[in-house]
Amino acid sequence: GLRTQLAEALRERSGSDRFGFIADHRGMFSRLGTSSDMVDKLREDHGIYMVGDSRMNIAGLNSATIPVLAKAIIDAGV
């Protein structure tokens, strides 16, 4: 459910289905598929931490943090 919520929040904010792949992934982690520069921007500008290859812990999200993450991802220009 968390994956679907995140994919939907990103779709609403971006007006695009380009993040729909997140809902199809399995396991605790997903990759955004963005550059390490974008990962650095998310960390520096929004306090969002993920591995340099854009791997993030989906299991660490909840319904309150998903909108915050979605906004940061779109605001960062991912």
Side-chain angles (χ1 to χ4, degrees):
L2 294 172
R3 292 178 178 286
T4 302
Q5 290 175 36
L6 179 57
E8 179 63 22
L10 288 164
R11 186 191 63 72
E12 288 173 6
R13 289 203 171 269
S14 69
S16 167
D17 286 330
R18 69 181 187 212
F19 295 103
F21 66 90
I22 292 172
D24 297 330
H25 286 174
R26 297 287 177 255
M28 291 177 49
F29 299 97
S30 278
R31 282 190 177 84
L32 281 177
T34 190
S35 69
S36 60
D37 290 338
M38 272 301 162
V39 171
D40 291 343
K41 184 172 177 60
L42 282 165
R43 182 174 39 253
E44 292 167 10
D45 295 351
H46 301 281
I48 304 293
Y49 291 83
M50 61 182 69
V51 179
D53 67 354
S54 74
R55 184 178 61 149
M56 61 183 162
N57 182 355
I58 299 296
L61 298 174
N62 62 52
S63 59
T65 57
I66 286 173
V68 174
L69 176 59
K71 182 180 184 320
I73 289 170
I74 298 305
D75 288 352
V78 174

